[in-house]
Amino acid sequence: MAYNEQQAMINLHVMPEEYEQQDYFLMMEVMTAKSKEDRPLSGNAFLKEMGIDPENVTADQQGKEV
């Protein structure tokens, strides 16, 4: 917790008293938030990125059942 408070002071210019008065869980969510580019993709988004239309996946694209 001390490291997060230190980072908030240095990078966000938040005073220690103000940091300590904030909701802990909300502050942790904010401090660990990732940019849109760094978030994991959903299954459909991954398929679209690979050039596959998730609504029209063929048997070859699905693979064979084992």
Side-chain angles (χ1 to χ4, degrees):
M1 173 95 166
Y3 178 75
N4 288 337
E5 188 170 342
Q6 176 191 49
Q7 293 302 303
M9 288 174 49
I10 294 170
N11 297 320
L12 305 174
H13 309 287
V14 176
M15 296 304 295
E17 299 83 21
E18 185 178 350
Y19 183 88
E20 291 168 359
Q21 292 175 0
Q22 300 304 314
D23 178 74
Y24 173 77
F25 295 104
L26 176 59
M27 188 63 79
M28 290 300 99
E29 184 177 342
V30 169
M31 297 293 281
T32 59
K34 295 182 179 182
S35 69
K36 190 172 183 177
E37 294 80 24
D38 293 335
R39 296 179 200 160
L41 295 175
S42 68
N44 284 345
F46 176 73
L47 289 174
K48 287 178 184 175
E49 193 172 277
M50 299 300 293
I52 299 171
D53 180 7
E55 303 299 322
N56 298 313
V57 177
T58 65
D60 289 337
Q61 292 169 328
Q62 288 181 3
K64 308 286 187 237
E65 287 192 31
V66 179

